[in-house]
Amino acid sequence: MPGNKYNGNSNDITDRVGRLVRDRELRKSARASHLNEPSENNGTRVSGEAFEHEHVRLREEENVGDVAEGGAATKGIGEERQEVKPFRQRLLVVANRLPVSAVRKGEDAWSLEISAGGLVSALLGVKEFEARWIGWAGVNVPDEIGQKALTKALAEKRCIPVFLDEEIVHQYYNGYCNNILWPLFHYLGLPQEDRLATTRSFQSQFEAYEKANQMFADVVNKHYEEGDVVWCHDYHLMFLPKCLKKHNKKMKVGWFLHTPFPSSEIHRTLPSRSELLHSVLAADVVGFHTYDYARHFVSACTRILGLEGTPYGVEYQGKLTRVAAFPIGIDSERFIHALDLPPVQDHIKELQERFKGRKVMLGVDRLDMIKGIPQKILAFEKFLEENAYWRDKVVLLQIAVPTRTDVPEYQKLTSQVHEIVGRINGRFGTLTTVPIHHLDRSLDFHALCALYAVTDVALVTSLRDGMNLVSYEFVACQEKKKGVLILSEFAGAAQSLGAGALLVNPWNVTEVAAAIAKALHMPSAEREKRHKHNFLHVKSHTAQEWAGTFVSELNDTVIEAQLRTRQVPPWLPTKTAIERYQQSTNRLLILGFNGTLTEPVEKTGDQIKEMEVKVHPKLRQPLTALCSDPNTTVVVLSGSGRQVLDDNFKEYDMWLAAENGMFLHPSKGEWMTTMPEHLNMEWVDSVKHVFEYFTERTPRSHFDFEERETSLVWNYKYADVEFGKLQARDMLQHLWTGPISNASVEVVQGSRSVEVRAVGVTKGAAIDRILGEIVHSKSMTSPIDCVLCIGHFLGKDEDIYSFFEPDLPSIGVGLPRTKVTTDGVERKPSLKVPASKSGPKSSQNRAQRPVSNSEKKTDNHICSTPRRPPPEKVSWNVLDLKKENYFSCAVGRTRTNARYTLDSPDDVVSFLKELADASFNLYH
């Protein structure tokens, strides 16, 4: 049953694409069975009149235009007519405006009329789910009686109102949405006039935007039921996904943008750029009309937020947000069947008689800056200039629907268009004919269909358009005439209908004029071929298919997330860990540093400040308390150099292990080396030159040669994301074929770094030696019986988690357990790490003892760091670790070998505070 796909089961299909293909076939089958139901005309093709009657009947059943005064409930948007209905998933459609026009008829009476929009048509035709609408009714209702009456009336239409006061509407809708987001998303930029005042108003408008989105979220949360899908629409509600997920993490949330999404260079000019991107990423699926818009969004997330973009979306806080293109369509059958209606046929005959002997060109647009109406008319003028033959044989019908007539910019545009039209008609018109017929009003559905049907060339010259469905409507009405579509390459529809249309740059008037000439002279065979391609697309990619596909993808994305979550280790059980800690007698606490104990740094663009790694300010008290516990040994194990650890932890009575454990600083003592005797460091100079070269060639990358002594790290975290990846790839190719081709080294790739280190330099390889030094220094006589190991380690260094696993027969990279004599640590010849799987690059060569990079410049055989001589080998086990007393935890990583996870350093701080309190209570 189709309903089974919503209960979280994959119906034995584990492949994502397989599940989506299955859902598509189920939708097609459901539609086919619905269309094949017996009808009054015994299954024959439904006439246009019958189709329109059916459409009207559906609208009437929704109680369109009736005054609702608490009468019997009527069927609303998306409601089935059958008495017995199969299970259908509930869909909460959240948009700025409800698809209803509301007029108050009295204190507690309202007149409602359903608006015929693309989204309404899309959801009316989809039977797989039951839609309920949440949004603003477009009217101010300050009194409680009016709100209750409107809520009751809208409930009969399956609509739920959000009540916004006039000040919120002014700041949120007229201000932030229409004056800031809408122009920016259409590449018109931020407001230019009175820049200082505009900049001051950004903050108040943005605060109103946040507040309004929270008001929408409160209404959604009130009506949400488990299993519902919440579908948020457009730039008005970019904050809504975050608000919803904050209330309920398990809520299925999708967000769709109906406008273009600009390139990252445009979006980054927005003062609130990061907040909006983070909020949208809280959704499970983020949808756009075209792949270009989706690509721009992913690019903005990587370049502005520094997140990782994948072919499937964006990874954020261990979660993958699916980003994809879902091109919307129209209810094509309604337009096709309408052509058979008597009113439309009458209009067609009238128009054919009116323009007999002339080719008809058509433009249907809102009178808006982005629609390119002046550019269209100027291109038509150039065509008439260059083609005198056509001056009395072609007519341009331009329907310009007025919009935002109270805005000065739009009034100016209207005057400009009228002036150009008058000039061209005066120049090329006659007493009986004019080349341009311009109407500043909308047409009813029947008149519009007739106009589409008689058109020879449709002209769409949008300067920037999310989709532009006029082109779809024109194609749907051209089954007989097979007219030519001239389409702007800046309209989203160009990616869908581009193959069958003539694509033009509307800014290039000469190119558009040439396209007009080509369209008028196009042979019928080519016209038919182009039309067939577009007609098939318009018929198959309907609004209903668009809605069904998006919801299907959203459901499947949630299933995918659940499958991934099952593979993610659980959250650290802090209560259990603290109990085990208190019950043990000899405890070892191993902590990473960077990404574990560091303070959070907001990405402000101040690279130098962000590079200053500092311990979290809230850790002073917990670390002091834990280090003062005589039965607890605290070790900070980091890849950072000795100086960094000294700067951050010198005040604490703890052990410090720098450079992945190759240097060790006892709680009371000086730095010593724990490196194996034979490590080859002769590769350092050649790799250093490569790193320096790429640092010079990659702006905002950095390489500190003096920071570490056993490895070299090139970091490109602050470089351009794409360029940094390309440079890292080129660097790796050069390293493998040149400087390290025969060296005993390993290359460790971080998310934005490349590290070259000697074979055997890992945290897991070092911990055996570190344990020995701890036991010797503290003169331990009882084994360690509780271990907590918490860190944000690279995959290469996660062998430390395996080292302590009680159930493993071999430890991590094959090291034996440390054993201790009464004199100290057992030093075994087999401490050397086996050769890596990477082949000759890891071969075990005879080598000099490792020294610091700076010392290597003068003498390869000198190491200033003291090394303790190996003691005798009469041994006992250092660890007596039961499974329930070992807690390994990865911070900020979901793909890990650790048993548990924590999200961030803030979570580590909270846990260590609780642990410190428990430790204090043991002795007081």
Side-chain angles (χ1 to χ4, degrees):
M1 291 293 291
N4 292 338
K5 67 186 175 193
Y6 301 130
N7 61 9
N9 299 324
S10 59
N11 289 354
D12 301 325
I13 301 178
T14 57
D15 173 61
R16 185 183 69 87
V17 176
R19 290 194 299 271
L20 293 173
V21 170
R22 178 206 60 193
D23 289 350
R24 177 178 176 273
E25 293 304 311
L26 287 172
R27 288 199 306 274
K28 286 175 66 178
S29 299
R31 281 198 299 271
S33 62
H34 178 73
L35 292 173
N36 291 332
E37 288 175 357
S39 61
E40 293 178 3
N41 54 9
N42 297 321
T44 58
R45 182 179 184 270
V46 180
S47 69
E49 191 168 1
F51 186 91
E52 187 65 13
H53 280 315
E54 173 70 4
H55 187 83
V56 170
R57 188 169 68 83
L58 281 172
R59 297 284 294 277
E60 285 175 348
E61 287 182 346
E62 288 150 13
N63 196 26
V64 176
D66 287 350
V67 178
E69 299 182 10
T74 56
K75 291 178 171 59
I77 299 171
E79 186 176 5
E80 282 283 5
R81 298 189 306 274
Q82 291 90 343
E83 292 297 326
V84 180
K85 297 181 291 185
F87 167 76
R88 292 186 301 157
Q89 188 177 29
R90 231 174 54 135
L91 176 66
L92 301 182
V93 181
V94 193
N96 175 62
R97 285 291 298 271
L98 289 172
V100 173
S101 299
V103 179
R104 195 162 190 171
K105 296 295 185 181
E107 188 180 23
D108 60 350
W110 290 85
S111 172
L112 306 178
E113 185 172 350
I114 301 294
S115 308
L119 191 56
V120 180
S121 299
L123 298 175
L124 271 174
V126 181
K127 306 301 178 185
E128 288 87 6
F129 44 74
E130 176 186 305
R132 294 177 188 269
W133 296 70
I134 296 176
W136 176 47
V139 291
N140 182 34
V141 191
D143 60 298
E144 189 176 343
I145 295 176
Q147 289 185 5
K148 286 184 177 179
L150 181 56
T151 301
K152 187 175 182 180
L154 287 170
E156 297 172 356
K157 307 286 187 191
R158 293 187 174 270
C159 292
I160 302 165
V162 178
F163 293 105
L164 305 176
D165 61 54
E166 286 185 345
E167 179 59 24
I168 286 284
V169 170
H170 175 67
Q171 291 268 32
Y172 146 73
Y173 181 66
N174 298 326
Y176 200 77
C177 293
N178 286 346
N179 287 339
I180 295 177
L181 290 183
W182 189 90
L184 189 78
F185 283 12
H186 288 87
Y187 290 78
L188 299 178
L190 295 172
Q192 298 297 311
E193 62 278 1
D194 193 7
R195 292 188 177 205
L196 187 61
T198 302
T199 304
R200 274 204 307 268
S201 70
F202 275 158
Q203 189 58 35
S204 63
Q205 292 180 7
F206 182 63
E207 288 170 0
Y209 183 84
E210 285 186 282
K211 183 178 179 181
N213 274 246
Q214 185 59 55
M215 292 169 74
F216 276 85
D218 292 341
V219 175
V220 174
N221 294 334
K222 181 179 178 182
H223 291 87
Y224 174 82
E225 297 174 4
E226 187 176 353
D228 287 355
V229 166
V230 183
W231 192 0
C232 313
H233 287 270
D234 233 357
Y235 57 93
H236 311 90
L237 300 175
M238 294 181 75
F239 247 91
L240 187 55
K242 180 180 179 181
C243 297
L244 295 175
K245 286 288 190 175
K246 188 176 181 180
H247 178 78
N248 184 351
K249 282 187 176 181
K250 295 182 178 180
M251 193 181 290
K252 296 179 183 178
V253 179
W255 181 79
F256 189 87
L257 183 66
H258 292 267
T259 69
F261 192 89
S263 73
S264 59
E265 290 304 304
I266 297 290
H267 184 77
R268 74 188 312 147
T269 62
L270 188 64
S272 52
R273 59 194 185 184
S274 300
E275 294 95 322
L276 291 179
L277 291 175
H278 277 132
S279 300
V280 170
L281 285 174
D284 298 296
V285 174
V286 175
F288 300 90
H289 281 310
T290 73
Y291 173 72
D292 278 352
Y293 307 156
R295 178 169 53 83
H296 288 163
F297 178 80
V298 173
S299 176
C301 292
T302 56
R303 292 175 184 275
I304 296 173
L305 302 181
L307 301 177
E308 191 68 28
T310 74
Y312 303 106
V314 179
E315 288 191 3
Y316 175 50
Q317 293 183 341
K319 166 182 170 285
L320 177 66
T321 298
R322 178 102 170 94
V323 180
F326 303 90
I328 196 172
I330 61 172
D331 185 359
S332 55
E333 292 299 318
R334 185 182 179 214
F335 284 87
I336 293 170
H337 289 293
L339 297 178
D340 296 331
L341 296 174
V344 176
Q345 287 293 322
D346 292 341
H347 278 297
I348 290 175
K349 290 173 184 176
E350 183 183 337
L351 290 169
Q352 287 173 339
E353 185 63 31
R354 174 70 178 83
F355 299 112
K356 188 175 182 180
R358 302 175 76 183
K359 293 287 187 180
V360 177
M361 296 177 59
L362 176 65
V364 179
D365 307 278
R366 280 186 301 108
L367 193 51
D368 202 310
M369 273 86 71
I370 65 164
K371 295 299 182 179
I373 296 176
Q375 287 79 2
K376 179 190 303 184
I377 298 172
L378 290 172
F380 184 62
E381 179 184 30
K382 184 160 186 65
F383 166 75
L384 295 178
E385 286 176 356
E386 297 175 349
N387 298 272
Y389 169 80
W390 284 101
R391 289 177 185 174
D392 60 349
K393 294 180 176 60
V394 65
V395 60
L396 172 61
L397 308 180
Q398 177 61 52
I399 312 299
V401 182
T403 179
R404 302 185 72 187
T405 52
D406 57 333
V407 179
E409 290 86 349
Y410 286 78
Q411 295 169 354
K412 183 179 177 182
L413 175 65
T414 303
S415 300
Q416 181 187 15
V417 170
H418 289 173
E419 181 184 339
I420 299 173
V421 170
R423 177 171 55 78
I424 296 173
N425 281 343
R427 182 180 175 190
F428 295 108
T430 66
L431 290 174
T432 55
T433 61
V434 290
I436 302 177
H437 288 243
H438 181 88
L439 292 181
D440 279 334
R441 62 182 179 86
S442 59
L443 296 179
D444 64 55
F445 177 68
H446 292 162
L448 187 60
C449 289
L451 202 50
Y452 284 141
V454 301
T455 298
D456 296 283
V457 179
L459 197 50
V460 177
T461 55
S462 304
L463 305 181
R464 192 70 61 174
D465 223 344
M467 195 63 181
N468 193 291
L469 296 179
V470 167
S471 54
Y472 277 65
E473 294 170 359
F474 167 74
V475 170
C477 294
Q478 284 284 313
E479 192 171 5
K480 292 182 180 178
K481 194 151 193 175
K482 298 176 175 55
V484 180
L485 173 63
I486 298 177
L487 182 59
S488 166
E489 62 188 55
F490 300 118
Q495 292 200 11
S496 304
L497 305 180
L502 298 179
L503 294 184
V504 294
N505 177 357
W507 294 100
N508 188 337
V509 172
T510 304
E511 180 186 344
V512 179
I516 293 173
K518 180 177 180 180
L520 292 173
H521 289 99
M522 187 177 290
S524 59
E526 183 180 349
R527 287 205 320 269
E528 187 169 342
K529 185 178 180 181
R530 287 177 177 272
H531 170 75
K532 181 180 179 182
H533 182 280
N534 284 346
F535 190 70
L536 288 174
H537 181 89
V538 170
K539 280 201 70 174
S540 58
H541 293 74
T542 61
Q544 294 80 12
E545 182 66 25
W546 163 77
T549 300
F550 185 92
V551 176
S552 176
E553 186 90 28
L554 176 54
N555 278 310
D556 194 79
T557 299
V558 173
I559 292 174
E560 277 284 302
Q562 290 170 351
L563 294 174
R564 281 195 302 271
T565 302
R566 290 171 195 159
Q567 300 167 2
V568 174
W571 187 268
L572 177 68
T574 54
K575 185 178 180 181
T576 304
I578 291 171
E579 288 176 357
R580 296 294 178 184
Y581 176 90
Q582 291 174 313
Q583 294 168 6
S584 55
T585 57
N586 191 3
R587 301 174 282 268
L588 176 64
L589 178 57
I590 301 174
L591 302 170
F593 176 41
N594 204 343
T596 307
L597 304 179
T598 48
E599 63 178 334
V601 178
E602 293 294 331
K603 189 172 182 181
T604 60
D606 189 346
Q607 180 176 342
I608 298 300
K609 186 175 181 180
E610 292 173 33
M611 288 166 58
E612 295 176 357
V613 183
K614 294 182 179 179
V615 69
H616 201 294
K618 294 181 180 179
L619 277 175
R620 178 183 294 271
Q621 185 273 329
L623 286 180
T624 302
L626 290 169
C627 292
S628 63
D629 184 342
N631 293 324
T632 300
T633 304
V634 181
V635 180
V636 172
L637 178 54
S638 171
S640 300
R642 290 178 284 180
Q643 188 60 49
V644 174
L645 296 189
D646 273 338
D647 292 343
N648 284 280
F649 300 101
K650 59 186 176 184
E651 62 184 280
Y652 301 103
D653 185 17
M654 63 168 58
W655 289 66
L656 304 178
E659 299 194 33
N660 300 305
M662 294 300 102
F663 295 97
L664 185 64
H665 188 290
S667 57
K668 296 178 177 63
E670 300 296 327
W671 283 101
M672 68 177 71
T673 181
T674 65
M675 288 184 286
E677 293 284 345
H678 303 291
L679 284 181
N680 183 358
M681 300 295 290
E682 292 183 337
W683 49 268
V684 169
D685 280 341
S686 56
V687 173
K688 167 180 170 283
H689 296 318
V690 174
F691 278 16
E692 287 175 340
Y693 170 80
F694 278 94
T695 302
E696 292 172 2
R697 299 287 297 163
T698 311
R700 302 187 75 187
S701 66
H702 64 91
F703 159 57
D704 190 347
F705 178 59
E706 300 296 335
E707 182 184 349
R708 307 188 190 197
E709 302 185 17
T710 58
S711 65
L712 298 179
V713 180
W714 178 69
N715 192 303
Y716 58 95
K717 176 182 178 181
Y718 303 99
D720 178 90
V721 177
E722 300 300 326
F723 185 60
K725 287 181 180 178
L726 290 173
Q727 292 292 80
R729 186 178 65 188
D730 288 349
M731 173 191 281
L732 290 171
Q733 289 176 347
H734 177 72
L735 287 174
W736 287 126
T737 57
I740 63 172
S741 57
N742 294 310
S744 183
V745 299
E746 289 177 322
V747 176
V748 182
Q749 278 189 272
S751 60
R752 304 280 171 83
S753 66
V754 176
E755 179 178 359
V756 179
R757 58 169 79 159
V759 168
V761 179
T762 70
K763 292 179 174 66
I767 193 63
D768 189 71
R769 299 184 289 274
I770 293 171
L771 272 177
E773 295 292 352
I774 290 173
V775 171
H776 174 81
S777 176
K778 298 185 74 170
S779 302
M780 285 187 181
T781 56
S782 61
I784 295 170
D785 58 353
C786 180
V787 174
L788 279 75
C789 183
I790 304 172
H792 177 80
F793 301 135
L794 295 171
K796 184 70 183 175
D797 293 317
E798 286 204 342
D799 52 358
I800 190 172
Y801 297 141
S802 304
F803 181 90
F804 291 102
E805 283 292 350
D807 296 339
L808 290 179
S810 60
I811 311 303
V813 292
L815 297 178
R817 296 273 190 203
T818 298
K819 296 184 179 181
V820 176
T821 67
T822 53
D823 298 319
V825 183
E826 177 187 359
R827 301 289 186 179
K828 296 190 177 183
S830 60
L831 269 175
K832 207 180 296 178
V833 181
S836 168
K837 296 179 182 179
S838 51
K841 301 169 184 60
S842 314
S843 59
Q844 303 260 335
N845 298 342
R846 294 184 178 181
Q848 318 296 334
R849 252 170 54 190
V851 296
S852 75
N853 292 336
S854 54
E855 290 163 350
K856 188 180 184 303
K857 297 173 185 174
T858 54
D859 191 341
N860 263 343
H861 303 278
I862 299 174
C863 181
S864 59
T865 308
R867 181 189 298 276
R868 190 188 303 278
E872 297 178 10
K873 299 181 182 179
V874 180
S875 61
W876 56 275
N877 283 326
V878 170
L879 295 171
D880 182 17
L881 195 59
K882 296 179 180 179
K883 182 177 180 180
E884 58 270 20
N885 280 8
Y886 173 50
F887 298 86
S888 57
C889 178
V891 181
R893 294 187 183 277
T894 54
R895 298 169 188 166
T896 177
N897 294 327
R899 291 183 175 188
Y900 307 105
T901 61
L902 287 173
D903 281 345
S904 68
D906 289 333
D907 297 322
V908 178
V909 171
S910 299
F911 171 65
L912 292 181
K913 280 184 177 180
E914 293 183 48
L915 196 65
D917 292 341
S919 177
F920 179 82
N921 294 334
L922 283 175
Y923 304 100
H924 296 83

